[in-house]
Amino acid sequence: MGRYILRRALLLPPTLFGVMVINFVVVQFAPGGPVEQAIAQMAGLSTTTTASISAAESMGPADPSVYQGGSGLDPEQLAKLEKHFGFDKPPHERFALMIWNYVRLDFGTSYFQDRTVIELIGERLPVSISLGLWSLFAIYTISIPLGVAKAVRDGTRFDIWTSAIVFTAYAIPGYLFAVILIVFFAGGTYLDWFPMRGLVSDSFDELTFAQQIGDYLWHLVLPLSALTVGGFATLTMLTKNSFLEEIGKQFVLTARAKGLTERRVLFGHVFRNAMLIVIAGFPAAFVGILFTGALAIEVIFSLNGIGLLGYDAVVKRDYPIVFGTLFCFTLIGMTMRLIGDLTYVFVDPRIDFEHRGT
C-alpha cells in the first residue's frame, strides 16, 4: 500500500501543474479582464458592458486603443494599471512567476479586496466544508435506512412508491429546488419561516451560546434541504442494490438455516459486506457535494463559502482568487480520492491497490 500512496503522491504535482496550465490559457482568451474592469470603474460604467480579448492585457507598450473604453485614457495611467495587475509582462513570464509563488504557497493578493488569497480562502473554506459535511450527514442518515428498508421490502408498494419519490427528487436540480424553497418558505411569495441568505443573523454575537446554535441551525435548514434532496437518490438505490446482492448469497441462507433471526442475519452478517462500497464512497461523495451542489447553493443563499468566493472572483476577473480557489479544489479532490481508496482497504483488507494501475 505504501508504493501505491507514493505513486499517487508523485502524480499530484504534475496534475496540479496541468490543471493550472489549461486554465491559465483559457483565461487569456476570456473577455473583460481586470484592466478593463478598472477602466470601467474609472469611467463610471457597469462592468457587464466591458468586453474584449483579455490577451490584449499582455501586450505592450500600453495602448489605450486595445481596451474598450480606454481610448481617452492617458497611456501612462494605463501603463500603471497594467503594472498594478501584472500585465506589463508577457503571459509566459506571468505564468512562470505564478507557479514559482505557488511552490512557496504564495497565492498572491486579491486585485480588488486588498487581502491575501490565503487569508480569504482560509476564511471561507470552513463554511463550505461544514456545509458539505452537514449535507452528507443528512444524506447518509436518510439513504442507508431507506435503502435497507427498500431491499427488505423489494417489490412491495413501499418499494415502488419510495422509488417514485426518490427518482422525482433526483430529477429536480438542487439550484431549482433552492429557488422553490426560497419562494415558498423564505418570504418570496408565501411563508416567511426561514432566512433566505447567510448562515447566521446580524445579531449573532449578541446571542447566548444556545441561541447561537439555534440560529445557525435555523439558517441551515433551506440550503441543507436543497443539497440533500438531490443527493440521496443515488445512495439510496446503491444501498438497496448492495443489500439485495448480499441477501441472495449462500452465507445468508446458511445463517437463516441455523435459526438466526432476520434482524441478526441482516445486521450481523449482511450489513458489513453491503456497506463496503457505501462507506468507502464517503470521500468521493464529499468531493461531489463540495464541487457541484455546494457551489450553486452558496451563490443562491449568499453563503460566504469558497464557492461564492470563486464565483465573485470570476465575475470580477480577480485572477489571483480564481487560480487560488482552483488550486485548492484540485488539491482537495485528489486528496479525498486517495482517502477514498484507503477507506476501501480499511473496510475490506482483502482489497489491494499495489498490484493494479493507478
Side-chain angles (χ1 to χ4, degrees):
M1 194 63 190
R3 288 186 299 172
Y4 174 74
I5 296 176
L6 179 60
R7 288 199 304 268
R8 293 292 295 272
L10 292 176
L11 281 174
L12 187 60
T15 303
L16 286 170
F17 181 80
V19 170
M20 301 305 292
V21 168
I22 293 173
N23 285 272
F24 186 85
V25 172
V26 170
V27 161
Q28 303 312 302
F29 297 96
V35 175
E36 287 194 335
Q37 299 280 339
I39 292 174
Q41 292 178 5
M42 294 169 61
L45 302 174
S46 170
T47 57
T48 58
T49 64
T50 64
S52 72
I53 301 302
S54 65
E57 294 178 345
S58 64
M59 296 175 61
D63 182 4
S65 64
V66 301
Y67 298 103
Q68 182 173 346
S71 57
L73 195 64
D74 182 5
E76 292 184 3
Q77 191 173 13
L78 181 59
K80 291 181 180 179
L81 281 176
E82 290 184 338
K83 184 176 182 180
H84 173 73
F85 292 114
F87 287 99
D88 56 331
K89 301 180 180 66
H92 67 277
E93 290 186 14
R94 287 189 279 119
F95 180 75
L97 179 61
M98 182 184 72
I99 294 299
W100 170 243
N101 289 334
Y102 274 37
V103 170
R104 299 179 297 163
L105 298 181
D106 179 9
F107 297 142
T109 303
S110 168
Y111 286 158
F112 304 105
Q113 299 190 47
D114 195 27
R115 298 175 64 188
T116 64
V117 176
I118 284 288
E119 182 181 355
L120 290 169
I121 292 177
E123 182 181 282
R124 302 292 189 94
L125 191 58
V127 175
S128 297
I129 291 178
S130 65
L131 188 62
L133 290 176
W134 273 113
S135 62
L136 280 183
F137 174 77
I139 289 172
Y140 271 71
T141 301
I142 296 173
S143 298
I144 292 178
L146 181 59
V148 173
K150 287 174 65 61
V152 174
R153 299 172 177 84
D154 183 42
T156 64
R157 286 187 176 182
F158 173 83
D159 181 39
I160 295 172
W161 281 104
T162 53
S163 294
I165 296 173
V166 165
F167 287 118
T168 300
Y170 181 74
I172 301 176
Y175 66 87
L176 178 59
F177 191 73
V179 174
I180 295 174
L181 290 176
I182 290 176
V183 170
F184 280 91
F185 300 107
T189 302
Y190 299 96
L191 304 174
D192 190 10
W193 289 354
F194 301 100
M196 65 181 298
R197 57 187 303 157
L199 280 181
V200 294
S201 301
D202 295 335
S203 58
F204 183 78
D205 294 334
E206 302 174 3
L207 303 177
T208 64
F209 179 71
Q211 290 174 332
Q212 287 179 342
I213 295 177
D215 182 74
Y216 170 71
L217 295 176
W218 180 49
H219 282 74
L220 198 63
V221 170
L222 294 188
L224 185 60
S225 299
L227 280 173
T228 302
V229 164
F232 75 92
T234 302
L235 185 61
T236 298
M237 300 309 297
L238 179 63
T239 302
K240 174 190 173 181
N241 294 333
S242 297
F243 266 80
L244 285 177
E245 182 180 355
E246 294 297 324
I247 287 174
K249 291 184 176 180
Q250 183 64 41
F251 75 92
V252 176
L253 299 177
T254 303
R256 287 172 175 168
K258 291 181 178 180
L260 297 180
T261 63
E262 190 66 21
R263 184 179 182 86
R264 179 71 180 275
V265 170
L266 190 63
F267 293 100
H269 293 75
V270 176
F271 189 81
R272 179 179 178 182
N273 291 338
M275 285 293 99
L276 170 62
I277 190 171
V278 175
I279 296 174
F282 183 90
F286 176 75
V287 172
I289 289 289
L290 194 63
F291 284 6
T292 55
L295 300 184
I297 298 304
E298 286 179 15
V299 173
I300 293 173
F301 288 98
S302 298
L303 305 177
N304 290 323
I306 194 171
L308 182 59
L309 176 67
Y311 173 79
D312 290 338
V314 170
V315 172
K316 297 177 180 178
R317 302 299 190 268
D318 199 340
Y319 293 150
I321 295 180
V322 171
F323 288 117
T325 53
L326 176 67
F327 182 88
C328 290
F329 276 138
T330 305
L331 184 61
I332 291 173
M334 296 188 66
T335 303
M336 294 303 291
R337 183 179 175 185
L338 176 59
I339 293 175
D341 291 342
L342 297 178
T343 306
Y344 275 106
V345 177
F346 177 77
V347 175
D348 189 350
R350 295 172 298 177
I351 297 177
D352 183 15
F353 290 102
E354 291 283 0
H355 299 92
R356 76 179 186 93
T358 57

